[in-house]
Amino acid sequence: MKLGAFDLFPLTDGTFSLDGGSMFGVVPKPLWEKLCPADSRNRILLSLGVLLIQAGGKNILIDSGIGNKGDTKFNDIYNVKRSPSLETGLKNQGVTPEKIHIVINTHLHFDHAGGNTKIDDDGQLVPAFPNARYYIQRKEWEFALMPNERTRGSYMLENYSLLEKTGQIVFLDGDQSITKGIDVMETPGHTEHHQSILITSEKKKACFLGDLIPTTAHLSPPYIMGYDLFPLTTLKTKKKLLQQAYEEKWLLFFQHDPKTRSGYLKEKNGKFILEPGTE
């Protein structure tokens, strides 16, 4: 996929499943199930989306998937199937983990930052991308280090605490440019300091939404996850971003949608719908 002078590769770390009710919050099951059918345990299938960007001679990874550290119980609860894994996807593009220069985490939940570290062949916990700098919002990091009863299931220290010891973390304070054409912008709601990534090249723009709008089924304003810590903030952030994306013709990437990875917005009867895009 081309965006101006940049090459974009929508990869995955496989799939997993989450409770459908939790994924749609106050929206009743008869409505959301039409869009995302549930299994016998009320879980819906989700992609573990990752985006590889090749720009300015750098390999840039947005989020890192769920990683290889889950035990049998964890993989059963979340129906984890790492096929194809992120390692396989990178290999297919001729990119080794050592050749990743930058990793940007939208936030530090286990399905977005689990692949930051890995268990190596000797059973040791090591950085998955030994030569990369990891870009994380400073306040998201601080929040992740002190999970509470509500958030403890989402934040797992083994996914990121090691990176401070190895000196690979770059802390961000709000909206910031990472490198030419790659900018982060805070998109709060899911977590207070969640960030989305804006990609710009030759007057064309794309946005990796992260968990602000995890699937195309969440385009409708009230379709907000029960996992969101600040749902009314999500509503405000989502409406503002979608309007800008529509006006400026952004290519949007939906991280958890198992069928539609990206597309452009169209307006129909006063609502935004998606036109799949492969530019």
Side-chain angles (χ1 to χ4, degrees):
M1 184 180 291
K2 297 285 290 187
L3 187 90
F6 293 175
D7 291 312
L8 311 182
F9 302 91
L11 306 178
T12 77
D13 199 27
T15 61
F16 76 135
S17 298
L18 291 175
D19 181 80
S22 297
M23 282 299 295
F24 288 97
V26 300
V27 178
K29 184 174 181 178
L31 296 181
W32 62 254
E33 194 172 31
K34 295 177 182 178
L35 304 171
C36 302
D39 67 11
S40 61
R41 296 165 70 175
N42 205 49
R43 303 174 303 183
I44 63 171
L45 184 69
L46 299 167
S47 175
L48 289 159
V50 179
L51 185 65
L52 171 66
I53 307 169
Q54 293 184 329
K58 292 183 172 65
N59 290 312
I60 301 164
L61 207 58
I62 304 180
D63 278 343
S64 60
I66 205 163
N68 71 348
K69 300 185 294 296
D71 59 18
T72 301
K73 180 180 179 181
F74 176 90
N75 291 335
D76 175 65
I77 291 172
Y78 296 107
N79 191 30
V80 177
K81 292 181 172 60
R82 297 186 69 233
S83 179
S85 67
L86 176 57
E87 294 92 334
T88 298
L90 290 172
K91 183 178 180 180
N92 289 341
Q93 301 305 326
V95 178
T96 65
E98 291 76 16
K99 291 181 180 179
I100 296 295
H101 301 94
I102 292 171
V103 177
I104 306 172
N105 285 134
T106 57
H107 59 302
L108 293 172
H109 285 174
F110 68 78
D111 53 317
H112 297 261
N116 285 354
T117 61
K118 68 176 183 178
I119 300 296
D120 68 11
D121 294 338
D122 296 322
Q124 300 298 310
L125 182 69
V126 298
F129 306 101
N131 299 316
R133 306 297 298 276
Y134 291 76
Y135 289 76
I136 299 168
Q137 286 290 328
R138 185 188 306 274
K139 291 183 178 179
E140 169 71 11
W141 168 268
E142 292 171 353
F143 187 74
L145 289 180
M146 300 180 64
N148 56 41
E149 292 84 354
R150 170 78 188 270
T151 63
R152 191 166 291 129
S154 298
Y155 288 114
M156 300 177 180
L157 291 174
E158 62 267 27
N159 292 334
Y160 44 85
S161 60
L162 172 68
L163 302 174
E164 187 174 36
K165 298 175 183 176
T166 59
Q168 292 177 257
I169 294 181
V170 178
F171 290 119
L172 305 173
D173 296 297
D175 297 357
Q176 204 164 321
S177 178
I178 304 301
T179 188
K180 185 177 180 181
I182 310 292
D183 299 277
V184 300
M185 52 187 181
E186 284 198 284
T187 48
H190 182 61
T191 68
E192 188 173 5
H193 298 282
H194 179 280
Q195 63 184 1
S196 299
I197 291 78
L198 186 63
I199 307 154
T200 307
S201 179
E202 298 179 355
K203 298 183 179 180
K204 296 182 179 181
K205 293 185 177 182
C207 183
F208 189 89
L209 296 164
D211 270 350
L212 174 65
I213 309 174
T215 77
T216 56
H218 291 82
L219 278 172
S220 178
Y223 283 58
I224 293 171
M225 292 187 287
Y227 297 113
D228 285 20
L229 299 180
F230 306 93
L232 294 182
T233 303
T234 297
L235 179 65
K236 181 179 179 180
T237 305
K238 181 195 293 191
K239 291 168 69 174
K240 179 181 178 181
L241 184 143
L242 287 176
Q243 186 62 42
Q244 185 176 1
Y246 172 70
E247 292 174 358
E248 298 182 5
K249 298 181 174 59
W250 294 2
L251 176 64
L252 298 178
F253 284 94
F254 298 87
Q255 185 164 16
H256 287 313
D257 199 302
K259 295 181 180 179
T260 304
R261 296 299 305 276
S262 63
Y264 296 90
L265 295 178
K266 292 178 66 177
E267 191 173 19
K268 183 177 181 180
N269 299 325
K271 298 180 180 180
F272 289 128
I273 61 172
L274 197 74
E275 183 178 78
T278 57
E279 184 176 343

